[in-house]
Amino acid sequence: MIMWGLVCGRLLSGLFQKQIICPRALNKTRRLHGPVRWMATRRPAPLLRATPCRALIDELIALKAYHLPRNSPVSMRARMTCEDGHLWQSVSHYHTDEDGVVDLTKHPSVGGSYVGCEPMGLFWSLQPAPGGKQSLRLRKKHLETPYTVDVSVLEGHISPLNSSREHELATVSLQRWYMVPGVRRIEIRQNRVVGTLFLPPGPGPFPAVLDLWGMARGLVEYRAALFASHGLACMTLAYFDNKDLPGPSKRINVGDSYFKKVSTILPTPAVVIIVYLLTIFYHNLTLRIATSLSVNPRCVVCINGPFCSMNKLFGEDGENTDEEQKHWNINEQGYVSFRDFCLPCNVPPENFIQIEKVRCPLLFVIGEDDLCCPSIENADEIERRLHTAGKPHLFTRVSYPGAGHLIEPPYTPTCHTSVWASQPTQSMIQWGGNLKQHAAAQKDSWPRILTFLESNLRGEDTA
């Protein structure tokens, strides 16, 4: 047995020795047969890259996948869990090129959540995932944290409704923020005013913007944080359904004096804010401040809203928000539209804002598929009245076919309908908007708004 083991060992040793090639022998082989070429038999692993992987919500993120099967169908999928724990998802179909690459800045989607060359399509087409709660509105609450989005490239053209057979080739995780590092968030609880002030990085001085949200309940901060990230001091103000404000929840329980106080509490002595530069959102309230109070804003931006309402204009006692239901339009699904509630032909003359008194430039952003408000009809009437008053130069209108009511910063999901917070959960409110056209309106209108603010807020004081 021992002898047999020695024989086997010598045989194996001889076999292994035959595989060893010394450098001298290798050089001889090269002389006889040419240079030795080493060839990889395996291709690199698929790679998905996001540039940048950390960005503001309104910044473009370039997505590009490498080392994929050539000229083959693949799917791109984005997934995100919102702060309320709901999963949002978008899926779109692509074909790799001859190099095995998919570049969302160059290549078109051929199906799925959107079609065409849409570099940020995976983000603005995000919707509640199949099987989850539908008709949600995405609104950021905690600005100290980002939205984290996981983007994957999958083999083949998958259906969003069936993920049982999916094969993930590569994935990347990225962050989308509303607030850049260095922005300061200051809670305002002074002289009975409730709000939040966002200051850009640096010592200032900064132009000041007041951001109002219509009938949004509580204190909505994310757009104000984004304004501050673009160099504008911005205060968002609570005036409806906030625990720090008195009165019933279904009323605006503050009056004119409340809004006059805003300019008295800005700013602290350490930071210089140009307080007379004021821009406000929400038409009735916005235009009342611009025409009737002693605030003297430098300019006004209005996004989809009326300058008249069936509700009486408030003074010092606030405004009742219990609308007359005879002007509600309810479709077969039970979804509510308020378009008739603010139609100029339905509103008593005493409930019109005296727009003729305005002294500052107005920018109106209009979604032509607005199902919540007759924005086109109100803009037409405002334009007519300013022309009659000899002030047509103060009015600028930007109108978007297919866009709905909720025109927000770029690359945020479109909300066509959502749960009506002040009613039972079965009630839904219609906002309108075609997915792709609404996304285009958000992308185009946001830089227009920023440019309008910059051109009017950073000039010489003419007040």
Side-chain angles (χ1 to χ4, degrees):
M1 180 66 69
I2 296 174
M3 290 299 295
W4 177 248
L6 291 172
V7 171
C8 291
R10 288 174 181 174
L11 289 172
L12 291 173
S13 176
L15 289 173
F16 285 125
Q17 287 176 359
K18 290 180 181 179
Q19 304 302 315
I20 298 175
I21 302 175
C22 68
R24 184 176 301 173
L26 181 60
N27 290 335
K28 184 177 181 181
T29 301
R30 286 174 176 168
R31 288 195 298 271
L32 295 174
H33 302 287
V36 176
R37 295 182 180 179
W38 297 95
M39 297 182 64
T41 59
R42 299 181 61 185
R43 69 175 56 177
L47 172 66
L48 179 59
R49 180 172 295 163
T51 308
C53 60
R54 175 190 172 108
L56 278 177
I57 201 81
D58 60 348
E59 286 185 82
L60 187 145
I61 298 173
L63 291 166
K64 190 173 183 179
Y66 305 85
H67 312 313
L68 303 176
R70 299 174 182 177
N71 301 311
S72 300
V74 295
S75 297
M76 300 291 294
R77 182 180 66 195
R79 280 182 170 176
M80 178 188 74
T81 300
C82 70
E83 293 169 323
D84 295 326
H86 301 292
L87 178 64
W88 293 65
Q89 176 179 279
S90 62
V91 175
S92 211
H93 301 153
Y94 289 86
H95 288 287
T96 62
D97 62 17
E98 61 275 8
D99 297 320
V101 171
V102 169
D103 184 347
L104 268 64
T105 64
K106 298 179 181 178
H107 297 156
S109 165
V110 297
S113 299
Y114 59 92
V115 294
C117 185
E118 297 288 345
M120 294 293 286
L122 285 174
F123 301 97
W124 56 251
S125 67
L126 282 166
Q127 293 294 306
K133 187 175 181 180
Q134 301 300 302
S135 296
L136 300 175
R137 182 178 177 185
L138 191 64
R139 308 185 76 178
K140 195 77 173 73
K141 300 174 184 177
H142 306 294
L143 301 172
E144 296 81 7
T145 60
Y147 282 131
T148 299
V149 184
D150 295 318
V151 181
S152 303
V153 57
L154 309 168
E155 188 176 61
H157 288 166
I158 68 166
S159 168
L161 301 177
N162 183 13
S163 59
S164 59
R165 297 182 179 180
E166 67 183 41
H167 177 208
E168 187 176 275
L169 301 175
T171 187
V172 65
S173 185
L174 52 94
Q175 295 180 349
R176 304 182 69 209
W177 294 79
Y178 277 94
M179 192 164 64
V180 298
V183 168
R184 290 159 287 172
R185 178 183 178 274
I186 304 170
E187 292 189 2
I188 303 296
R189 302 294 186 274
Q190 182 180 339
N191 201 12
R192 297 186 179 181
V193 171
V194 179
T196 306
L197 173 65
F198 291 88
L199 297 178
F206 309 110
V209 176
L210 179 61
D211 189 13
L212 303 181
W213 274 91
M215 299 310 296
R217 293 170 173 268
L219 195 57
V220 184
E221 298 183 351
Y222 60 85
R223 188 167 59 193
L226 191 57
F227 275 127
S229 298
H230 286 278
L232 300 169
C234 189
M235 180 175 176
T236 183
L237 197 62
Y239 50 89
F240 177 58
D241 194 22
N242 183 278
K243 62 182 180 63
D244 294 322
L245 293 175
S249 61
K250 291 186 178 182
R251 284 178 55 93
I252 295 178
N253 298 292
V254 298
D256 290 346
S257 61
Y258 182 80
F259 300 99
K260 291 179 181 178
K261 292 175 185 176
V262 175
S263 61
T264 67
I265 62 176
L266 287 172
T268 60
V271 182
V272 178
I273 308 294
I274 309 173
V275 298
Y276 53 81
L277 304 181
L278 191 65
T279 303
I280 40 192
F281 293 80
Y282 182 41
H283 287 211
N284 267 5
L285 181 54
T286 298
L287 296 176
R288 179 174 175 81
I289 294 174
T291 58
S292 303
L293 307 184
S294 58
V295 176
N296 294 323
R298 181 64 67 88
C299 61
V300 171
V301 177
C302 291
I303 302 176
N304 279 332
F307 80 119
C308 60
S309 170
M310 292 302 297
N311 288 340
K312 293 182 179 180
L313 300 177
F314 62 87
E316 286 304 318
D317 297 327
E319 177 184 18
N320 189 356
T321 62
D322 292 328
E323 299 92 346
E324 298 180 37
Q325 296 191 20
K326 68 179 182 180
H327 291 290
W328 296 0
N329 293 322
I330 303 177
N331 66 13
E332 295 178 355
Q333 298 173 287
Y335 293 2
V336 182
S337 170
F338 297 115
R339 291 196 82 257
D340 289 350
F341 189 79
C342 300
L343 270 174
C345 60
N346 291 339
V347 176
E350 61 270 18
N351 286 11
F352 280 83
I353 294 290
Q354 293 181 310
I355 194 67
E356 298 85 354
K357 293 184 178 181
V358 73
R359 298 187 299 274
C360 64
L362 309 178
L363 173 62
F364 273 59
V365 178
I366 306 295
E368 296 182 11
D369 189 41
D370 187 348
L371 299 181
C372 180
C373 173
S375 300
I376 296 175
E377 292 85 349
N378 275 266
D380 289 343
E381 183 64 16
I382 292 173
E383 189 169 21
R384 185 189 68 79
R385 293 187 176 212
L386 288 178
H387 187 273
T388 302
K391 300 180 179 180
H393 59 285
L394 295 180
F395 186 79
T396 301
R397 180 206 302 230
V398 185
S399 191
Y400 298 99
H405 185 76
L406 300 176
I407 298 178
E408 300 212 53
Y411 315 132
T412 54
T414 300
C415 179
H416 191 273
T417 59
S418 67
V419 175
W420 190 7
S422 62
Q423 298 294 321
T425 55
Q426 292 80 10
S427 298
M428 308 290 289
I429 186 169
Q430 300 181 75
W431 305 110
N434 171 280
L435 186 66
K436 189 170 183 177
Q437 290 176 295
H438 191 91
Q442 293 188 152
K443 179 182 176 181
D444 184 80
S445 63
W446 181 245
R448 289 179 183 269
I449 291 171
L450 293 176
T451 299
F452 181 80
L453 296 179
E454 288 288 340
S455 63
N456 286 284
L457 300 189
R458 294 192 187 272
E460 296 295 327
D461 180 13
T462 59

